[in-house]
Amino acid sequence: MTQDIHAVPPSDTAAPFGAHEPMGFIARSIGWTRGLTSRWAHVRLASALRKVAMRQLGPAPVDTVTLGAKMRLFPHNNLCDKRILFTPQLFDVVERQWLGKAVEAANAAGKGFAFVDIGANVGAYSLFVAALAGPGAHILAVEPQPDIFARLIANIGFNSFGSIMAVDCAVADKPGELTLFLDPRNKGESSVRLLRSSATMAVKVPAVTLLQLLTDKGYTHVDAMKLDVEGAEDLILEPFLHTAPESLWPKLIVIEDSANRWQVDLCKLLAESGYRELAHTRLNLVYVRG
């Protein structure tokens, strides 16, 4: 069975929102970088400003509103935090556009949007969807890494959406306990497959299958799903598509493009399962069924 955590987060996440409000040059840098576009010169400028701000910030967290939600971010050791702190306007733009369209369609039909975020990290996708979809949404944010899970539940608690359930487990091809590999230099990066980093650490975490997870949490359908598990996406989706009823197959899938690490041709499997590719971005693939 999966475990829902309701414990008080560690001290670095427990302070009230606003306790780590950016000041001075750091605040100005965030404002400047958020005003830039995807043009090459703007991206280079944003990178330069971010480096200077990061040197001043050090390991301190930053409280900010980004992607429509309040978040406490730790950019010194999480690449996702760094991206959504300084340049949220450039964060997975195409992926968020397709999710936004799916939310609009569900809202227009008068039904709550069902979203499953596997590898939720600190909640960027889950909170973005929650801000769009409203209180009727049903969002499952799954994150196995203990430190990142604490940051995830803190970020959920800073907001009053009331539509996100956080679960601290891994999703894999079979239930039980497995080894999760972590990169301490980028704490949002974790996988049940060995990472490329020479600084890899390992922890034991509980695991469930995707079908078990959705069944345990009472899902009868999934409007959209995001999978970002550093090369283990095939371990999750292959058994699910072979065993789960089609009523549980997500209509929209945003999946990290880790084709060079998958042990099966996941793109072919998705096509055979009735999915078609909507977009192939620098980091992700977007599929729709039907």
Side-chain angles (χ1 to χ4, degrees):
M1 298 292 290
T2 58
Q3 303 175 34
D4 296 340
I5 294 296
H6 301 287
V8 176
S11 58
D12 63 351
T13 57
F17 182 81
H20 298 285
E21 180 181 359
M23 307 293 286
F25 176 76
I26 294 171
R28 291 193 296 272
S29 295
I30 293 170
W32 291 332
T33 55
R34 290 187 180 189
L36 299 173
T37 71
S38 60
R39 292 167 51 192
W40 180 84
H42 283 200
V43 172
R44 292 294 299 271
L45 177 58
S47 177
L49 288 169
R50 188 175 72 180
K51 286 179 181 178
V52 177
M54 287 293 297
R55 282 198 293 268
Q56 289 197 18
L57 183 63
V62 175
D63 290 351
T64 187
V65 176
T66 182
L67 302 178
K70 298 175 182 177
M71 298 190 205
R72 175 162 296 153
L73 303 175
F74 295 75
H76 71 288
N77 66 0
N78 192 335
L79 179 59
C80 177
D81 284 20
K82 192 183 300 184
R83 293 176 66 200
I84 63 176
L85 174 61
F86 289 98
T87 51
Q89 74 279 15
L90 305 180
F91 176 76
D92 291 4
V93 174
V94 173
E95 296 89 332
R96 290 192 291 116
Q97 286 174 344
W98 283 112
L99 279 171
K101 292 178 181 179
V103 169
E104 289 178 4
N107 288 347
K111 63 174 186 175
F113 189 72
F115 178 60
V116 180
D117 187 359
I118 300 175
N121 205 307
V122 299
Y125 268 81
S126 291
L127 290 162
F128 166 75
V129 170
L132 282 182
H138 303 281
I139 300 169
L140 193 60
V142 184
E143 175 53 51
Q145 187 182 162
D147 289 348
I148 297 299
F149 185 79
R151 299 179 189 182
L152 169 65
I153 58 172
N155 285 339
I156 293 171
F158 292 143
N159 298 273
S160 57
F161 298 134
S163 56
I164 306 175
M165 175 188 295
V167 181
D168 65 329
C169 71
V171 183
D173 55 340
K174 58 186 177 181
E177 186 181 67
L178 53 74
T179 300
L180 186 71
F181 297 99
L182 316 174
D183 183 351
R185 297 174 301 186
N186 179 16
K187 300 203 74 166
E189 184 174 0
S190 63
S191 178
V192 299
R193 286 182 172 153
L194 190 63
L195 299 173
R196 300 182 183 91
S197 172
S198 60
T200 297
M201 301 171 58
V203 296
K204 296 288 187 179
V205 297
V208 298
T209 67
L210 179 54
L211 178 57
Q212 179 186 353
L213 177 69
L214 297 180
T215 302
D216 285 352
K217 300 309 174 188
Y219 276 72
T220 58
H221 75 284
V222 178
D223 291 301
M225 180 179 294
K226 186 269 282 179
L227 297 101
D228 183 353
V229 288
E230 306 300 332
E233 294 80 11
D234 57 328
L235 286 177
I236 297 171
L237 279 181
E238 183 187 27
F240 177 77
L241 292 173
H242 286 146
T243 61
E246 291 190 23
S247 59
L248 281 178
W249 292 10
K251 297 177 182 177
L252 183 76
I253 298 179
V254 177
I255 181 170
E256 184 183 31
D257 182 7
S258 302
N260 60 332
R261 302 181 68 189
W262 295 334
Q263 295 179 358
V264 301
D265 189 340
L266 196 50
C267 295
K268 180 181 178 182
L269 176 61
L270 286 167
E272 292 172 346
S273 302
Y275 287 91
R276 59 184 174 88
E277 185 181 300
L278 291 175
H280 188 173
T281 70
R282 185 173 66 89
L283 297 174
N284 300 302
L285 298 158
V286 182
Y287 283 88
V288 68
R289 189 162 189 259

